[in-house]
Amino acid sequence: MAGKKQFDMDAALDAAMIQFWRDGYADTSLDDLSRATGLNRSSIYSSLGDKDTLFLRCLDLYAARYGEKYDAALSGAASDPVAAVRAFFDVTLERIADPALPDGCLIAQSTMAIPVLSPRVAAQAQKALGFQHLRLRTALKAGRLADRDAEAFAVHMAAVNQSLAVMSRAGASPQQLLDIVGVTVDALSQALRA
C-alpha cells in the first residue's frame, strides 16, 4: 500500500539531540541532521521544524531526561543532603563515562554558545541551566541549609556540574573528575557540621 513513509519520532529526536550534543548548534548543519535522523530536509522541516525549533526540542528532551535523574538523586536531600548531592554528581559522572554518548553536556555547550544562538534558543539554554540551580537550591534547603548557604552552594554546585562536562571534553581523567566532586561534597559536609 502506497503512502507516507513512517518514522519513529522519538528515535529521530534522540538522533538529532546526539548530533547537536556532539558538534554543537553552530557546527551542526541540516545535512548533518539529515544523516543523523535518516530524514531528508523536507521531512525534517515538516516533522521536526526548522533548525531552531528542532534544537529547542532536543534541548528540552535532554533537560527532561537528565532532569528526572537529577531529581531522583536529590530526592533524599531532606534526610541526607551529602548523599543526595553525591548522587546528583554521580548522574553527571555516569553520563560522562558512557561511551555511547558524546563528551560534555548539551546544556553547558549551549550556554557557552549563547553569543551565536538566536534569542529564543539562548533563552531556553539559560532556562535549562537555571533549572539545575533551582533543583539544587531546593534540595539544599530541604537538607537544612540556611537560605544564604543553600543559594551559595547551589550556584557553586551548578557551576561545578557544568565544569565536569567541560573538563571531560577537555580530556580530564575519571579520577580528576571524582576529585573535583570530592572537594565540593566535602565542603558541603563541613558546612552542615558547622
Side-chain angles (χ1 to χ4, degrees):
M1 180 176 197
K4 288 186 177 182
K5 182 179 177 183
Q6 298 297 312
F7 69 96
D8 183 338
M9 178 70 80
D10 292 336
L13 280 173
D14 200 60
M17 180 187 72
I18 296 293
Q19 178 61 46
F20 281 126
W21 186 355
R22 180 174 291 114
D23 292 343
Y25 175 85
D27 290 335
T28 296
S29 68
L30 282 174
D31 288 338
D32 294 330
L33 291 168
S34 180
R35 278 190 296 278
T37 62
L39 301 172
N40 63 37
R41 286 173 170 246
S42 64
S43 293
I44 290 173
Y45 277 111
S46 65
S47 302
L48 302 172
D50 64 10
K51 184 178 173 182
D52 273 9
T53 301
L54 177 54
F55 184 72
L56 288 170
R57 292 177 74 178
C58 292
L59 197 57
D60 288 345
L61 172 64
Y62 182 93
R65 181 175 294 164
Y66 291 103
E68 288 174 7
K69 292 178 181 187
Y70 287 133
D71 289 340
L74 292 171
S75 66
S79 61
D80 192 346
V82 173
V85 166
R86 189 175 303 280
F88 169 86
F89 284 120
D90 285 346
V91 170
T92 298
L93 294 173
E94 288 170 14
R95 185 190 72 229
I96 288 169
D98 187 339
L101 297 174
D103 288 334
C105 166
L106 182 60
I107 293 171
Q109 274 178 243
S110 303
T111 303
M112 289 186 295
I114 282 176
V116 300
L117 300 177
S118 71
R120 74 181 180 138
V121 173
Q124 190 65 16
Q126 289 172 318
K127 184 177 174 184
L129 188 60
F131 282 146
Q132 189 168 91
H133 169 253
L134 178 63
R135 76 173 36 98
L136 282 161
R137 185 178 68 209
T138 300
L140 292 168
K141 285 176 75 172
R144 300 171 309 283
L145 274 180
D147 286 351
R148 184 174 178 204
D149 290 339
E151 175 63 19
F153 269 103
V155 169
H156 174 77
M157 289 176 181
V160 168
N161 202 48
Q162 296 307 312
S163 74
L164 292 172
V166 173
M167 295 293 292
S168 76
R169 199 161 215 193
S173 72
Q175 186 58 52
Q176 289 171 316
L177 300 176
L178 281 171
D179 291 344
I180 292 167
V181 168
V183 170
T184 300
V185 171
D186 288 347
L188 174 63
S189 182
Q190 289 174 19
L192 287 166
R193 284 194 306 264

